[in-house]
Amino acid sequence: MPVSEQVTRSARIRARLAATVTIAALAIVAAPSAAAAPDFGTADFGSSGSSAGHLKLTYVNSITVPTGTLFEGVPIGGLSGIDYNPATGEYVAISDNRGEQGPVRYYSLTLPLDPAGKLSTAEFTGQHSLLDTDQTPFAPKTADTESIRFLPGSDNLLYTSEGSPKLNLPGFVREAARDGRFVRDYTLPDAYAPTAAPPAGFRENLGFEAMTVDRAGTTITAASENALAQDGPAISDTVGSTSRFLRLDRAGGENRGEFVYPVDPIRPAPGEVINPISSVNGIGEILAVGDFDYLVLERNVTAQSGFSVRLYKTSVHGAQNVAGKTALDGTERAMRKELAFDFNAAGINPECVEGITWGPVLPDGTRTLVLVADDNFGLAGSTTFHLLTDGR
């Protein structure tokens, strides 16, 4: 999600003026040498066989794509979601460009590791336009694409759009062919549809920023960045937000359950008075750890403190299924969460991280995590890839 719409428009203008930089000219960033949610009285947290409760995440290194780098004539930027295919070693990354800075699109790329197991370079191999339901390119401002995933057992992809309540555009979860052609939309519960009176559905820029597919490829989970308008107040530095996790059957699209996830309040710098327009903390992405457990990427930004990113482990085990509730009333038993990794506490500048995927398994069996940061088209941060390992 852009820091603000005004900021993003400025970034896009800047990016159009940027000079061409070769893809290979990547700067390697050297590696430097929480609070949990209330206990809801269940022993099921992390017990679904996924070992979510035993993650041990360690930072390895980062690489950065120079701002203004062009690929096929348009700037690489706005990378808001990423996924990895272990069968081919290929990644896909989606841009949150709204069709104003080149087409609505995703990229294919590789992120090879060096002999020491560190990210060595980013090699972009393709740029692919995504098509609307009529199989034509999206008109400007008709999609705000945020998350992308491979569909296990299929050549197709899955991606999300936040939509725009201001423009009366609903968000969506959509399946597409690799060439970008529309395949189908998943039906969303009525609670997610934007309405003005009374206010309901996604808030502007706070919709389906996050989505993942379980390891079996049978369940899709999408998460709202913050609470739906009817579910609770807007987030602040004193009040957190109650996001919804929506679980959908991958084959038939049926609603498999909705669960409440408590997003942390905004974390300002000491003494900072936050600007509610440019300050936010929200779910930037989610990643399936098993069938019922997830990693949640919470991305926080304020004018003085900049970006801070935390990864939480969470589970729907023990949480109340709120499917069918038009509005939350605050009595719901929420998902438990536990801090798994804090970039800033580890002394790492995360930039505007918005995407996360499991990466390749190292020769010793260690799992890797790859994250991508959105450069907001040159205005805020840079296009950066981070590598973590899970050394359980």
Side-chain angles (χ1 to χ4, degrees), residues 17-265:
L17 300 177
T20 301
V21 184
T22 60
I23 299 296
L26 297 173
I28 305 299
V29 180
S33 46
D39 186 348
F40 294 106
T42 174
D44 289 332
F45 181 47
S47 65
S48 63
S50 66
S51 301
H54 304 289
L55 295 171
K56 185 179 180 182
L57 302 181
T58 303
Y59 174 76
V60 179
N61 79 313
S62 305
I63 58 173
T64 300
V65 178
T67 299
T69 297
L70 300 185
F71 187 82
E72 296 184 357
V74 294
I76 295 171
L79 300 189
S80 185
I82 189 169
D83 204 30
Y84 175 71
N85 184 344
T88 64
E90 178 189 29
Y91 292 83
V92 288
I94 199 164
S95 174
D96 65 8
N97 155 63
R98 300 183 184 184
E100 301 167 290
Q101 179 75 26
V104 175
R105 62 192 181 273
Y106 79 91
Y107 294 94
S108 51
L109 66 153
T110 60
L111 294 166
L113 304 182
D114 66 18
K118 295 183 177 182
L119 292 171
S120 60
T121 188
E123 299 173 355
F124 287 79
T125 58
Q127 176 179 283
H128 313 273
S129 296
L130 293 164
L131 304 182
D132 208 344
T133 55
D134 61 358
Q135 308 297 5
T136 62
F138 285 95
K141 299 184 179 180
T142 58
D144 185 5
T145 50
E146 298 290 352
S147 185
I148 189 168
R149 297 294 178 190
F150 289 103
L151 277 172
S154 166
D155 290 332
N156 291 347
L157 300 168
L158 198 69
Y159 70 102
T160 65
S161 171
E162 288 192 299
S164 173
K166 292 195 304 186
L167 300 176
N168 199 32
L169 291 172
F172 60 69
V173 177
R174 179 165 294 180
E175 184 175 348
R178 286 299 304 267
D179 63 5
R181 287 179 296 110
F182 169 82
V183 175
R184 65 168 168 169
D185 277 337
Y186 284 82
T187 300
L188 306 180
D190 292 341
Y192 296 79
T195 62
F202 293 135
R203 289 184 163 97
E204 188 72 22
N205 270 333
L206 295 173
F208 279 149
E209 183 86 17
M211 179 266 297
T212 190
V213 183
D214 72 333
R215 58 186 172 184
T218 60
T219 303
I220 297 162
T221 305
S224 58
E225 186 169 355
N226 271 187
L228 305 181
Q230 73 272 25
D231 281 351
I235 199 166
S236 72
D237 55 340
T238 59
V239 177
S241 192
T242 50
S243 295
R244 292 199 195 199
F245 275 48
L246 169 64
R247 288 167 56 90
L248 298 171
D249 181 79
R250 182 262 183 95
E254 294 85 5
N255 187 337
R256 287 190 166 183
E258 296 174 58
F259 302 88
V260 179
Y261 174 86
V263 178
D264 293 347

Side-chain angles (χ1 to χ4, degrees), residues 60 113-118 359-368 387-390:
V60 179
L113 304 182
D114 66 18
K118 295 183 177 182
V361 176
L362 300 180
D364 65 359
T366 300
R367 295 192 300 179
T368 64
L387 181 68
L388 304 181
T389 57
D390 173 20

